[in-house]
Amino acid sequence: MDNNPLQALHHYRTFILTALAALVAASMKVAPACHAQIVPDKVEFTPERSFEVRPIYKNDTVTVVVLGDIMMHQKQIEAAMKEGGEYDFSSYFSLIHNKIAEADIAIGNMEFTLAGEPYSGYPCFSAPDSFAQYNAECGFDIFLCANNHILDKGKMGAERTLRIYRDYGLKYGTKFTGLAASSDELEVTTPLFVISKGIRIAILNFTYGTNNPGSADPFPAVNRLNDTELMKSSFQKAEKADFVLVLPHWGNEYELTHSPAQRKMAQWMVDNGADMIIGSHPHVVQDVQTIDGVKVVYSLGNAVSNMSAVNTQLELMATVRIIRKGNGDIEVPEPELTWLWCSRPGGYNNGYTVVPVEGFIGREHLWKGSWDYERMVETYNRIKR
């Protein structure tokens, strides 16, 4: 043994470096031989041996709330009018405001135009701009425009409606679909892609037709269910989404069950990629059906209106929860359907108010007019499925 510490340290370092060099050389020589021994000429991956690499996602849920026909009849305009030309719609969604505002995406069918003064109700709707503003401030994120009243004031009325909606988009972040002023706008809005919490949702909105056929000009254009080319191309584009929500304006007015034409169209939509279908237009609640695993809510009924014909004040709000699991899979439970009642002036209060039915049964003392409460309960008990 060498008694000189420096020499001993030098010998030890030399030994370590020599050993490391030998290990590196050995690995370079052995690796090819090992590779040749363990990998056959042809590898066959059986289902038992193959595997899929999946990205890791955050578990999350996107909540989508959908309401039916949001209308503006002449009596609503008159009731909302205040001094100085202002309008007050604050009672409309006051009892369900939290549901709308807290949803990740809130959608309403805007069944009126913003064609300017003179304002008018049925049969040719033109609502004050502040009505759309009220809806945006309530928390509605998407305005559906494909309905039979969107061309009530012709081309100029539709173009003005779009200008206001674009302005509100800048101010409130709202979007619209179903109506476009140009091919570029149509490309962006149909399908309308919305990304929330990393989940990409395609929204498709089409109508059976319009009361006013419109002009011969190609734009402004309304999405129509009989436009086969647009329907096919839109559903093909929607395949890029994680979830496809179709919102058709269809069916026969005041009928509580869907028509054969609705059933046939729903089947086509399911066959072409719809993940859920929620309809509007009949002004009453229609039945719910499952087609090849896809839930179809044929009609939500009205959201707010002056209508008082039998069954037209009872309505639904659909809450859809889109769940993304950690492995990336999308899961969508049954939609939650909340029964609502559109109370007219003199009923619940002096204004138009959407009342959540089940939360107010047994609370007749809150009503200004007991007749409205009694009618709500009778209609609910008769129609509820």
Side-chain angles (χ1 to χ4, degrees), residues 234-247:
S234 300
F235 274 78
Q236 289 172 355
K237 292 174 185 176
E239 293 175 359
K240 302 174 184 177
D242 298 306
F243 184 80
V244 180
L245 178 59
V246 186
L247 303 162

Side-chain angles (χ1 to χ4, degrees), residues 110-126:
M110 305 296 157
E111 197 156 7
F112 53 84
T113 72
L114 300 175
E117 297 184 283
Y119 303 130
S120 58
Y122 182 83
C124 293
F125 291 94
S126 179

Side-chain angles (χ1 to χ4, degrees), residues 79-147:
M81 187 181 299
K82 303 300 177 184
E83 293 183 5
E86 300 294 322
Y87 293 86
D88 180 9
F89 308 104
S90 60
S91 64
Y92 281 28
F93 298 119
S94 58
L95 297 181
I96 61 169
H97 175 264
N98 62 320
K99 296 292 186 182
I100 299 170
E102 292 171 8
D104 296 301
I105 303 170
I107 305 172
N109 176 42
M110 305 296 157
E111 197 156 7
F112 53 84
T113 72
L114 300 175
E117 297 184 283
Y119 303 130
S120 58
Y122 182 83
C124 293
F125 291 94
S126 179
D129 297 351
S130 57
F131 185 45
Q133 180 179 355
Y134 166 74
N135 284 286
E137 291 175 345
C138 277
F140 282 99
D141 302 291
I142 298 173
F143 295 167
L144 303 181
C145 300
N147 58 65

Side-chain angles (χ1 to χ4, degrees), residues 169-192:
L170 296 174
K171 185 174 182 179
Y172 300 103
T174 55
K175 300 179 184 297
F176 61 87
T177 183
L179 177 69
S182 66
S183 58
D184 289 341
E185 192 163 69
L186 180 63
E187 181 73 20
V188 172
T189 59
T190 301
L192 180 64

Side-chain angles (χ1 to χ4, degrees), residues 151 153-156 158-159 210 212-222 224:
L151 295 181
K153 296 294 184 176
K155 177 180 178 179
M156 293 182 63
E159 289 176 338
T210 55
N212 182 343
S215 68
D217 297 334
F219 292 97
V222 182
R224 299 174 187 268

